[in-house]
Amino acid sequence: MAKNKTNFKCTNCAQISMKWVGCCPACNEWNSFVESTPSFATTFLSSGPAKMGSAASFAAVQAATPLFNFKDINTETQARMLSGIKEWDRVLGGGILPGSFIILTGDPGIGKSTLLLQVADKIAHDYKVIYFSSEESLQQVKNRANRLGFESSKLLFSDQANLESILSTCSNSKPDLVILDSIQNCHLSLDSQAIPGTIGQLRESGFLLMRFAKENNIAVLITGHITKDGQMAGPKVLEHMVDAVFYLQGEDRWQTRILRSVKNRFGTINEVGFFEMQEDGLAEITNINKHLLSEASETPGSALVCCVEGSRPILLELQALCITSKFGMPQRVVTGLDPKRVVLIAAILEKYLHIRFSTQDIFFKVSGGFKIKESSTDLGIALALLSSYFQLPLPQKSVSIAEISLTGQVKPTNQIGICVKEAEKFGLAHVLVARNQQVKTDCKLLSFTNVYELLQLFPEEGQ
Ligand code: TYD
Ligand code: MG
């Protein structure tokens, strides 16, 4: 069997080197290399099985693992832990699955701890939940809990930040759910050379927590922050290990927070939940469209579109401002969607309708600070541009749902049913669609075959 030679390991990113180096070739950190004994896996990977010796030497290192047939594997579905906070439960795919390992990330101060405390309090009515607050003292957590109004909570708290101690506490007291707020502040005493929050530590902590969750069937929910420029590699490292990743994001205008699922082994991704930060914590916004529509105007340059986020139709106002450019190079200032899409639609309109958008400055935005990607918003983009160009509003209470091809054809989209239902619910009168779009609705349909027909909406100027 190969001799266990010592090697050197970067305390920042866990890069291994056979000899000591001053600057880590992987993460460029200086003086981060310390001597370490390679693990079985490292030796195996670096020297290969041939040099490791015969099968007998493997047996000496690790006991053989049992193997299963499908028929022997238990697939009994376990009940999920529901919080009763519907926006949370839905985004999680119907509550937290026992034994799952989940990360909630977001900018500092966005409301992760607040949301988790509210969720944990609710789940603690039916399950045993321990909340490890490594970032805040117990007094701070209690103050927050008072502010949220649940003094009599059955939740158990600790401000322990040592991961080995956290795991041994949990092994003994066998909770159903463990919350670690945050993973960046936890540390491993075994690997005392590594600093909490470094990639090496996060990777090791993540691995330990994952094994703990699976082996004990205890759900582990951790928080992690990302820096302003999104550079923090920590949570990214963890994203591969965890079963589910959720982002809590903020909107600039209101105190709105969006909970977004970006990975979920036990549910759908791209699901979104809406909350509003209030004096006494995060309140669910079950009716986001009412919120959005209350702000929409029916003035020139405004067009309503419908995007489907996860399973939810969202009614968004697009706002365009087109004005003759004073410079040779017209400006394109676009927020909330890819600027290239606005430029492309403007080019299609210019080509087929001979409207000279290329001499116009175009300012374009999506209301509420939302970001849109769906191509079903093409028609809305075109109509917002035309409406601003002609300074004429679109038909009252109308929503546009169609794609536009490079050849200027207005094309049907899928998921129209769910959007139309939402339009009906909010009393919208007109739905603007492609001529051959199959759809049943009580709203009045205005349909178009190509972009030429859009001019019918602007009779005073367009014809
Ligand atoms: P917090 O949950 O600590 O954010 P994170 O854990 O993501 O860093 O949220 C902090 C912010 O939320 C802080 O600016 C205060 C505000 N807040 C409220 O507005 N209302 C409340 O009830 C609570 C608890 C916090
Ligand atoms: Mg926090």
Side-chain angles (χ1 to χ4, degrees), residues 411-427:
K411 299 275 185 190
T413 81
N414 48 16
Q415 293 197 304
I416 184 105
I418 182 173
C419 296
V420 163
K421 248 194 214 149
E422 197 69 5
E424 286 171 6
K425 194 166 129 192
F426 285 93

Side-chain angles (χ1 to χ4, degrees), residues 60-119:
V61 181
Q62 191 65 268
T65 187
L67 302 170
F68 299 94
N69 275 128
F70 272 149
K71 66 176 169 45
D72 306 323
I73 301 171
N74 194 356
T75 55
E76 208 176 290
T77 48
Q78 292 173 295
R80 289 174 179 248
M81 288 176 256
L82 287 168
S83 67
I85 301 174
K86 291 203 183 77
E87 294 294 287
W88 167 270
D89 291 338
R90 198 193 58 253
V91 175
L92 267 93
I96 300 173
L97 196 74
S100 59
F101 182 27
I102 301 167
I103 182 163
L104 173 69
T105 86
D107 292 332
I110 200 75
K112 298 181 293 295
S113 306
T114 308
L115 180 61
L116 286 188
L117 205 56
Q118 287 178 264
V119 167

Side-chain angles (χ1 to χ4, degrees), residues 13 15 19 30 58 67 110 127 131 177 225 233 252 276 300 331 338 350 360 368 370 383 386 390 405 413 423 442 444:
C13 73
Q15 168 82 9
K19 58 183 196 309
W30 284 92
F58 288 112
L67 302 170
I110 200 75
Y127 299 91
Y131 191 112
L177 171 65
H225 18 95
D252 43 2
E276 187 171 24
Q331 292 190 72
D338 182 356
E350 175 148 2
Q360 303 265 309
F370 279 85
L383 289 173
L386 291 173
F390 293 127
S405 70
T413 81
D442 297 337
K444 188 165 178 231

Side-chain angles (χ1 to χ4, degrees), residues 207-281:
F207 186 67
L208 278 176
L209 286 164
M210 179 184 68
R211 279 191 44 187
F212 175 80
K214 305 292 160 205
E215 284 167 9
N216 299 283
N217 200 33
I218 293 172
V220 176
L221 174 46
I222 60 176
T223 66
H225 18 95
I226 39 178
T227 53
K228 277 198 187 105
D229 51 357
Q231 279 296 308
M232 181 64 210
K236 285 270 174 230
V237 168
L238 294 167
E239 277 183 15
H240 304 291
M241 269 183 232
V242 297
D243 295 314
V245 181
F246 301 97
Y247 276 76
L248 190 64
Q249 296 166 328
E251 291 304 333
D252 43 2
R253 280 288 306 284
W254 322 310
Q255 289 288 305
T256 316
R257 302 285 183 269
I258 302 184
L259 179 68
R260 210 175 268 283
S261 104
V262 288
K263 166 178 174 179
N264 195 349
R265 285 184 186 146
F266 311 116
T268 56
I269 59 157
N270 295 326
E271 194 62 77
V272 281
F274 297 95
F275 298 89
E276 187 171 24
M277 185 58 99
Q278 295 180 346
E279 278 300 297
D280 54 351

Side-chain angles (χ1 to χ4, degrees), residues 10 20 47 59-60 134 142 159 186 205 213 296 358 369 432:
C10 173
W20 189 86
S47 54
S134 58
K142 185 167 181 193
D159 56 2
C186 288
S205 308
S358 54
L432 281 56

